[in-house]
Amino acid sequence: MASLLSGYITQLHAFIINPEPRPGLQPIPGSQPLTIGAAVLPPLVYYVALLLLAPPPPPFINSIYVKTLRNALALTAGILFFRLPLAYHVPQSIGLTYQLGLVGLYGGCRVLDAFFISPYFFHHIPRRVVYVHKPRAQTPVQEELGTAKEWSDGGVKEPYFHQEKKNVVNTEAKAAQVDIHSPPTAIEASQGRRSSLSGGLGDIARRMSSSIPDAACGSYFAVQRTLHGPDPRPVLETATTESGWPRTLRDRASWALELELSMRGVGFTWTTADVRHTRKTWLPTVGNRVHSILVHVLPVLLASWFAIRSVYVRYLAASFVDDDDVGSSASVFDDCLPRPAQLLLTGALGAFLMAAFSLGHSLFAIALSPLAPGPLAFFPPLYSVRVWDVASVRGFWSYGWHRLFARLFLVYGVWPGEWAERRLTGKGAGEPADVGKVLGGFLASAFVHAFSVRGVLGGDWNSAAGEAKFFALNGLAVVLESAVARAVRRSRKRRGYGERMWYDGWIGRIWWIMVVLGSGRNFARGWVKSGLVRETAFIY
């Protein structure tokens, strides 16, 4: 047994120190295997610079000498971050080399934003935000439908399924009383007929639940509670910007560490919009996260991985027998995969990535939960809505997908896009510039992902165009659907219809799924060519 363990350790050590790229990896010519020093130095220099960025006290932080030293350190950190994916690769993994591109580009852009763009163009240094969560009484969703705006609750539905039947019965009883005493007008009746199904399947299910026996209804909600898991804690959230902090060196060290680790700006005035949807929210407990991993995340992760591996083994493995020719054919995705298999692989990759992000988010939240109520233990939900509740391409990217790179896309895509639209159209500073905002954000995403996959395709920009096309096409789809939605609303208003019809949600769902899967074939095509699908399928 000891000899077997020793043999495994020896093989693992040899694998780690082996400088030869693994089969399928095509590093940028001239790049070297990543060293520990090269990996540690950029975030370390960035952290030291952040120690000098935090606002005073002490007063000498604002001196010209400290600012000069701080900017010099920041420039060094930025150069080191940008250099990472250009000069190094991870020979043991295609995926880690791809991630190296994301880390390098994100880190460099973040440094420029924190030390130069925000302070000198907007006169803003991120301040820490203190979150106070006070317990609140559970409030049924039906009581607020009349006043809540779309997405104002972050898309998180009230999790108290065990009270659903009672709430539905009470609501329907009140509605019946109103109907008896207040007969509708002809116009109201006409509009009611046109939108009688606007509640969707959820409303139909709730109405059906009131007509079935209590025992069966109780069993139904028991199954729902089992699938949903423990209820999160209902709270009212208050965020207050701190002033006069940090005060001590320890405070400053904590400020720098928290800002460096916070991709979404949680705990700072850089917080992204998906974290600031509402004051009425829920705090997931460790039990919630463990249940989510076991019941939701792992099944999706395993099912999507099985689909990816099955497609690869059945259709693609024979095309990559010779490792020297891996990815050399630009058309292997189209030549070897029939259209249904292309769509299956595309959907499976999306589900796998979504589940993998969720798994990592939950594991970090569980590991850091002992630090609560500190900022490092605050992990707001990664996804604002469930995928099946999304009804547009904009809704998918705004609420159905993670926004870990939202600040990067805001600074380097959304703001320049809005500026360009206003310059081209003559719009004022207060007027919306939605087209520039959308296209700028998606083009920034296109560049970031193409830059990263380029690092595993030998530095060839043409081969990395698949991911760029995917995000650019989705940006155009958002612009198109917004224009169509405005035209449809105007047309309905002229004809006396309501703005929303019962079938809008279903058309929106079909539309966004077609767009994401159709354009996502470009994404999957690049992942097949780069060997990322091969590594995801655990084929070595």
Side-chain angles (χ1 to χ4, degrees):
M1 187 65 172
S3 61
L4 184 62
L5 181 60
S6 176
Y8 282 139
I9 294 176
T10 302
Q11 292 178 9
L12 179 62
H13 181 264
F15 174 76
I16 293 175
I17 65 173
N18 183 13
E20 292 298 322
R22 62 143 289 169
L25 175 60
Q26 306 165 71
I28 295 177
S31 63
Q32 304 173 359
L34 181 66
T35 62
I36 295 178
V40 171
L41 196 57
L44 182 60
V45 177
Y46 177 34
Y47 178 75
V48 175
L50 283 174
L51 289 174
L52 304 177
L53 179 66
F60 75 85
I61 289 296
N62 280 335
S63 68
I64 187 64
Y65 304 104
V66 172
K67 288 183 177 180
T68 301
L69 176 61
R70 180 188 75 193
N71 291 344
L73 289 171
L75 279 175
T76 303
I79 293 172
L80 291 174
F81 269 119
F82 286 130
R83 185 173 179 268
L84 264 181
L86 301 176
Y88 298 96
H89 62 270
V90 182
Q92 296 82 10
S93 172
I94 302 173
L96 290 180
T97 303
Y98 178 88
Q99 292 293 325
L100 190 66
L102 290 175
V103 170
L105 191 57
Y106 173 86
C109 291
R110 183 80 165 199
V111 169
L112 293 180
D113 181 16
F115 289 89
F116 302 101
I117 296 176
S118 289
Y120 293 106
F121 287 90
F122 300 99
H123 306 289
H124 175 70
I125 293 176
R127 303 301 297 251
R128 203 170 78 154
V129 174
V130 177
Y131 294 96
V132 177
H133 297 103
K134 295 181 179 180
R136 64 175 172 86
Q138 55 201 44
T139 305
V141 176
Q142 288 81 4
E143 295 181 9
E144 298 196 347
L145 286 179
T147 57
K149 296 181 180 179
E150 187 178 12
W151 305 115
S152 64
D153 62 349
V156 182
K157 294 184 177 180
E158 188 73 54
Y160 300 98
F161 291 114
H162 58 276
Q163 294 198 352
E164 184 74 7
K165 178 174 172 57
K166 182 177 72 175
N167 293 334
V168 171
V169 172
N170 292 340
T171 303
E172 291 183 350
K174 294 178 181 178
Q177 294 175 3
V178 172
D179 290 340
I180 292 174
H181 296 290
S182 303
T185 64
I187 296 178
E188 290 171 343
S190 175
Q191 292 179 346
R193 285 192 297 270
R194 294 186 185 118
S195 59
S196 59
L197 297 179
S198 60
L201 288 182
D203 182 65
I204 295 174
R206 286 193 293 270
R207 292 179 179 276
M208 290 178 62
S209 69
S210 64
S211 63
I212 60 179
D214 288 342
C217 191
S219 301
Y220 167 74
F221 287 113
V223 172
Q224 274 198 326
R225 287 197 303 272
T226 301
L227 294 176
H228 182 268
D231 287 336
R233 291 193 295 118
V235 296
L236 288 175
E237 179 180 285
T238 303
T240 306
T241 304
E242 285 188 328
S243 60
W245 196 92
R247 298 180 180 85
T248 66
L249 179 60
R250 181 176 179 179
D251 292 342
R252 190 168 289 273
S254 176
W255 184 94
L257 180 63
E258 291 166 13
L259 182 60
E260 184 169 20
L261 296 179
S262 180
M263 290 188 69
R264 290 189 289 172
V266 176
F268 288 87
T269 50
W270 268 5
T271 306
T272 54
D274 60 316
V275 182
R276 294 183 277 116
H277 279 149
T278 179
R279 289 185 64 242
K280 192 182 91 169
T281 186
W282 297 267
L283 289 184
T285 63
V286 172
N288 295 135
R289 298 190 188 278
V290 171
H291 179 273
S292 177
I293 290 174
L294 296 178
V295 177
H296 301 291
V297 176
L298 286 182
V300 173
L301 194 69
L302 293 175
S304 56
W305 173 82
F306 180 78
I308 293 169
R309 182 178 175 86
S310 299
V311 170
Y312 186 90
V313 171
R314 180 172 181 179
Y315 296 103
L316 299 173
S319 301
F320 295 118
V321 174
D322 186 358
D323 291 329
D324 293 334
D325 293 332
V326 169
S328 59
S329 173
S331 59
V332 63
F333 178 85
D334 301 283
D335 293 343
C336 299
L337 292 179
R339 185 60 60 88
Q342 294 179 13
L343 297 176
L344 174 61
L345 179 60
T346 301
L349 283 173
F352 182 86
L353 290 174
M354 178 175 284
F357 284 128
S358 182
L359 177 63
H361 181 266
S362 295
L363 290 177
F364 274 108
I366 292 171
L368 296 177
S369 60
L371 300 179
L376 291 178
F378 184 39
F379 280 75
L382 193 60
Y383 305 113
S384 300
V385 299
R386 297 175 178 89
V387 172
W388 51 84
D389 290 329
V390 174
S392 65
V393 180
R394 182 190 288 267
F396 174 75
W397 290 112
S398 297
Y399 307 101
W401 194 252
H402 74 82
R403 302 186 69 180
L404 297 175
F405 292 89
R407 176 74 189 183
L408 187 153
F409 299 154
L410 173 70
V411 175
Y412 298 96
V414 171
W415 288 346
E418 290 178 325
W419 175 85
E421 180 180 349
R422 291 190 174 103
R423 287 295 299 270
L424 293 174
T425 61
K427 290 183 176 180
E431 297 180 85
D434 190 64
V435 173
K437 168 185 174 180
V438 170
L439 294 182
F442 276 97
L443 288 177
S445 180
F447 174 79
V448 167
H449 288 84
F451 178 86
S452 300
V453 78
R454 168 184 174 270
V456 295
L457 286 170
D460 184 10
W461 283 105
N462 291 328
S463 298
E467 292 199 26
K469 292 178 182 178
F470 169 65
F471 288 103
L473 288 173
N474 275 263
L476 292 174
V478 171
V479 173
L480 175 63
E481 76 175 12
S482 298
V484 171
R486 288 193 298 269
V488 169
R489 285 195 295 268
R490 287 196 298 266
S491 175
R492 288 175 177 173
K493 187 176 181 180
R494 285 196 305 267
R495 294 185 295 168
Y497 288 82
E499 286 192 1
R500 297 183 63 84
M501 303 296 287
W502 66 267
Y503 49 79
D504 288 352
W506 293 107
I507 294 177
R509 287 177 176 89
I510 295 171
W511 158 251
W512 82 257
I513 291 174
M514 288 177 57
V515 169
V516 172
L517 284 182
S519 61
R521 292 170 57 244
N522 294 293
F523 185 96
R525 186 179 290 110
W527 272 50
V528 167
K529 185 178 181 182
S530 65
L532 286 165
V533 170
R534 171 180 178 166
E535 184 166 288
T536 303
F538 292 166
I539 305 296
Y540 289 91

